[in-house]
Amino acid sequence: MASCSLAQRRFMRTLTQAVVVTVVLLVVPLRAQPTELPLDLNFDTATFFYAENQTLVEVYLAIGAASLSFEANEDGFTDEVEIHLALRPAAMAAPDAATTAAVFADTLNLQFQVADTTGLAQGQYFLQQVRTAVAPGEYVLDVNVPTTADDGQGTMSLRRDLLVPDYAPDGRARLADLTLASSITRAADNADPRFIKNRLDIRPSPSRLFGIGSERVFYYTEAYGLNDAVAGGEYTLLARVTEANLTQPIEGMERRTSRAVRSPDVLVGAFDISALPSGSYFLRLVLLNADNEALAEQSQKFFVYNPNVVREDLVEDPLAEDYMTTLYASMPADELEENIKHALVIATSRERSRLNDLPNEEAKREYLAEFWRIRDPNSSTAINEARRDFYDRLLQIEERYSTNFGEAYETDQGRVMLKYGIPSVIDPRRSNSELRPHEVWEYENLPGEGRSIFVFADLDGFGTFELIHSDVTGEESRPDWRAALRR
């Protein structure tokens, strides 16, 4: 794929949600019943030294408050969620099936209680954190939530490959994983013990989404082996924030700090990201010796959603008569071709036919300028909102549906989301002994179509979800789609 332009590099985790504002309310262990779909659940992990041949694994969970189905009782409003965690050796590390039993398993029976639900909104999350110590190696972490759906009880399943390093002393400097957090403070006497580490109260952000309401990215990690790797008693911590596809720091977002050698050394800091435009970024840490040589490095990707911050190099001059022409006139040829492919996803049949008749590259540049100019809902503003929203959505799709076999927008799910927008409801039905894994997407009101659905199914068992039915004009239609799901 040709590299995307800076305009395309803007990314937000979800177009319809506000940015994470962590809410840690009352979480009480209680026997839970299956929850209703869809549940907004994010999870992340980090690893740290624990003991010889043992590494500490932390699992961070965030449950969207607005996705819970609260019911009134005498104490306010409550909902219950049951979450199953299982950490198993990866198949390549343990080919013998008998050894794939979970090395760690836990069931979280949670009750969420609030006094009033009127203040709950998208972007507010309940936090959970679980710790366990395991031998270093390659693992698979499964997170399963029993659910209820129209066709009966099922399971919402999330999975992540997890490499658990061996941090035992070996003469080298090492950095543990980076935990990104919405806040890190000195632990008070009454602080929740689940989130305390080295006398710090660390509230992780499993979605790694920051911006409005969460303007600072906090980080926590630990450095090991410095006594053996560093001479002279001091080393330098280099911390920087970069664009996701670049290595040089953003102006004003690089810090060098001299630190006394100790092992382990707890490294904590924060960056103010309130002035960063929406997009994907990396927080990068490097340990340097006296010769400015890198001893150890660690990085973590995160996302910023600041819709009110406009990237300076994307400001469209309302006085410029033809900004779109200027934009495409300076675009490299390979990127131009990629932009043509993007436009074809939403082009009308007439626009498709016209594209086939374009004689040269210059004509394609003029075509794209006109394509987006006519879609601009307000030509008097400094931004072409239609194009901006399209590429924001494209970047979200790239994050969700990228494969090794093609572009994300060329998958059925990616194409549908790019063309029609974010569904009102995504109903994942992944675990059912009688039906193949599938998803049902619902749109409340598509222009010219009204209430519409799309059904995607993994028919071959390889994890690729193809469109098998929709009631939208021109899309794949299979009235007996339910029969096609039967195993």
Side-chain angles (χ1 to χ4, degrees), residues 50-334:
Y50 184 73
E52 185 176 354
N53 297 322
Q54 291 281 292
T55 299
L56 181 68
V57 177
E58 294 185 341
V59 181
Y60 313 127
L61 300 161
I63 299 99
S67 70
L68 295 171
S69 301
F70 286 99
E71 295 183 359
N73 60 26
E74 62 274 12
D75 297 320
F77 297 84
T78 62
D79 191 20
E80 303 166 9
V81 175
E82 181 180 294
I83 300 177
H84 300 273
L85 304 176
L87 187 65
R88 296 181 174 85
M92 62 182 300
D96 182 356
T99 68
T100 60
V103 298
F104 168 77
D106 195 9
T107 296
L108 307 178
N109 296 305
L110 308 174
Q111 182 186 59
F112 304 96
Q113 181 171 316
V114 296
D116 187 4
T117 60
T118 57
L120 297 180
Q122 293 285 358
Q124 296 177 322
Y125 285 80
F126 294 93
L127 284 180
Q128 288 290 310
Q129 180 169 308
V130 177
R131 294 180 173 127
T132 186
V134 300
E138 297 179 33
Y139 294 88
V140 173
L141 175 63
D142 287 313
V143 180
N144 296 310
V145 183
T147 60
T148 56
D150 294 341
D151 56 357
Q153 184 171 327
T155 302
M156 175 181 175
S157 299
L158 304 173
R159 169 171 288 190
R160 174 171 298 178
D161 294 331
L162 182 61
L163 176 62
V164 177
D166 186 353
Y167 294 115
D170 60 2
R172 297 179 298 160
R174 304 286 298 276
L175 272 172
D177 289 338
L178 272 170
T179 298
L180 299 189
S182 58
S183 71
I184 299 179
T185 58
R186 290 289 180 186
D189 292 339
N190 61 346
D192 190 329
R194 292 171 302 169
F195 302 106
I196 295 177
K197 185 160 53 181
N198 286 314
R199 301 180 182 178
L200 297 172
D201 188 336
I202 304 168
R203 300 303 167 110
S205 179
S207 68
R208 295 186 237 148
L209 176 63
F210 300 85
I212 296 176
S214 187
E215 290 85 5
R216 301 183 72 192
V217 177
F218 292 82
Y219 65 84
Y220 174 97
T221 189
E222 297 172 3
Y224 311 121
L226 294 171
N227 291 330
D228 294 330
V230 178
E234 283 192 352
Y235 75 100
T236 298
L237 170 64
L238 174 63
R240 54 173 54 170
V241 173
T242 73
E243 298 269 8
N245 57 337
L246 300 174
T247 56
Q248 63 267 33
I250 297 169
E251 184 177 357
M253 302 202 109
E254 179 177 86
R255 297 173 189 159
R256 289 175 176 263
T257 307
S258 294
R259 298 183 63 88
V261 169
R262 60 177 65 87
S263 191
D265 194 8
V266 174
L267 305 178
V268 178
F271 282 92
D272 185 341
I273 51 82
S274 59
L276 292 183
S278 299
S280 301
Y281 298 88
F282 268 96
L283 175 63
R284 304 180 189 274
L285 299 187
V286 185
L287 307 185
L288 303 171
N289 63 16
D291 297 323
N292 210 39
E293 298 171 332
L295 300 172
E297 301 182 27
Q298 191 62 270
S299 63
Q300 186 69 279
K301 189 176 185 179
F302 67 95
F303 312 97
V304 171
Y305 178 46
N306 283 328
N308 297 323
V309 178
V310 179
R311 193 185 296 270
E312 292 182 2
D313 54 1
L314 298 179
V315 174
E316 299 179 19
D317 185 357
L319 302 178
E321 184 176 349
D322 201 355
Y323 172 82
M324 296 308 297
T325 298
T326 303
L327 172 67
Y328 287 110
S330 60
M331 184 172 287
D334 56 351

Side-chain angles (χ1 to χ4, degrees), residues 33-37 39 82-84 143-158 427-438 487:
Q33 299 299 319
T35 187
E36 295 181 357
L37 287 169
L39 180 69
E82 181 180 294
I83 300 177
H84 300 273
V143 180
N144 296 310
V145 183
T147 60
T148 56
D150 294 341
D151 56 357
Q153 184 171 327
T155 302
M156 175 181 175
S157 299
L158 304 173
D427 185 353
R429 305 175 184 182
R430 300 295 178 85
S431 180
N432 189 303
S433 61
E434 297 181 356
L435 301 177
R436 290 181 172 86
H438 62 288
R487 295 182 184 272

Side-chain angles (χ1 to χ4, degrees), residues 1-5 8 328 330-345 355-356 358-368 372 387 390-391 394 407 409-410:
M1 174 180 177
S3 60
C4 294
S5 67
Q8 298 167 25
Y328 287 110
S330 60
M331 184 172 287
D334 56 351
E335 192 171 321
L336 180 74
E337 291 298 326
E338 197 67 29
N339 273 247
I340 290 286
K341 292 179 182 179
H342 300 158
L344 285 174
V345 175
L355 182 60
N356 294 331
L358 297 180
N360 52 41
E361 184 178 291
E362 187 59 33
K364 292 181 180 179
R365 296 181 188 276
E366 295 174 359
Y367 171 91
L368 280 175
W372 288 111
R387 186 177 186 276
F390 178 88
Y391 278 104
L394 174 61
E407 305 300 341
Y409 65 87
E410 294 175 334

Side-chain angles (χ1 to χ4, degrees), residues 15-33:
L15 202 60
T16 58
Q17 292 184 355
V19 171
V20 172
V21 180
T22 302
V23 178
V24 183
L25 303 176
L26 180 63
V27 182
V28 183
L30 185 73
R31 188 64 189 170
Q33 299 299 319

